Amino acid sequence: NAGVMQNPRHLVRRRGQEARLRCSPMKGHSHVYWYRQLPEEGLKFMVYLQKENIIDESGMPKERFSAEFPKEGPSILRIQQVVRGDSAAYFCASSPQGAGTGELFFGEGSRLTVL
Amino acid sequence: QQPVQSPQAVILREGEDAVINCSSSKALYSVHWYRQKHGEAPVFLMILLKGGEQKGHDKISASFNEKKQQSSLYLTASQLSYSGTYFCGTEEGGTSYGKLTFGQGTILTVHP
């Protein structure tokens, strides 16, 4: 039973390029969350999605960042025109239903480095 | 506003006990505890819901004082495998869909 799969695990981009991070939730999970972790800091909520719907994007920067979770395929976090401050680990988590009373299953993260 | 964890770091010898605290200024619906080893995914430990409760499994347990908006994680007879960074994640009253606000983490190091 595969866990939450994220790819790429490591991504290097130059300033101004685009970064696309993918997340396949656990089988049977229809709720996906993206969190960002800066070095030596805790995880910060970015966005919560269900299939084809963005439920809460209050943690997403207003510009350059977008997320989707299509009917078919993985969830994608897209960062356009990356800047050095975007360097971080981006974690995806999934749950079978809204995880207010249960655990979030985290992937191993995608580590973005912006040169 | 993120919850505040204390202490920031703990160093133990195998077999010793530790307590990690998590305090919020907001009314909470739930408190989640996760452990993260360097370069790995956070791993769920337990969740406590408002109503004030205590939970535990193996030698790790936790409590949630709803009135004080505080939770504590208790690790007894620590093992080397307990080393890692412990995060509490809180959900505020009224939301319960996994939008967690995490503390800054407590680094636990267990030596032989």
Side-chain angles (χ1 to χ4, degrees), chain B residues 60-106:
Chain B
I60 300 176
S61 62
S63 63
F64 176 25
N65 185 322
E66 183 185 352
K67 290 181 180 178
K68 294 185 177 180
Q69 307 306 328
Q70 292 177 348
S71 178
S72 295
L73 185 71
Y74 307 93
L75 302 109
T76 58
S78 58
Q79 306 167 16
L80 294 177
S81 62
Y82 286 6
S83 292
T85 302
Y86 289 76
F87 293 99
C88 67
T90 59
E91 276 193 300
E92 295 171 20
T95 63
S96 60
Y97 54 67
K99 178 183 177 180
L100 301 179
T101 303
F102 283 94
Q104 80 280 16
T106 295

Side-chain angles (χ1 to χ4, degrees), chain A residues 9 33 35 37 42-43 45 48 56 58 91 99-104 106-108 111, chain B residues 29-30 32 34 36 39-42 44 47 49 87 91 96-100 102-103:
Chain A
R9 293 290 311 279
Y33 310 78
Y35 283 81
Q37 186 175 37
L43 299 126
F45 171 82
Y48 163 45
D56 184 334
S58 58
F91 287 93
T101 55
E103 71 177 281
L104 295 179
F106 280 90
E108 294 196 325
R111 282 153 182 82
Chain B
Y29 176 82
S30 66
H32 301 226
Y34 285 80
Q36 184 181 29
E40 298 182 8
F44 176 80
I47 178 175
L49 304 179
F87 293 99
E91 276 193 300
S96 60
Y97 54 67
K99 178 183 177 180
L100 301 179
F102 283 94

Side-chain angles (χ1 to χ4, degrees), chain A residues 64-80:
Chain A
R64 302 186 299 108
F65 284 72
S66 62
E68 62 176 5
F69 188 17
K71 187 176 180 181
E72 301 290 338
S75 175
I76 295 175
L77 180 67
R78 182 184 180 202
I79 311 172
Q80 296 178 288

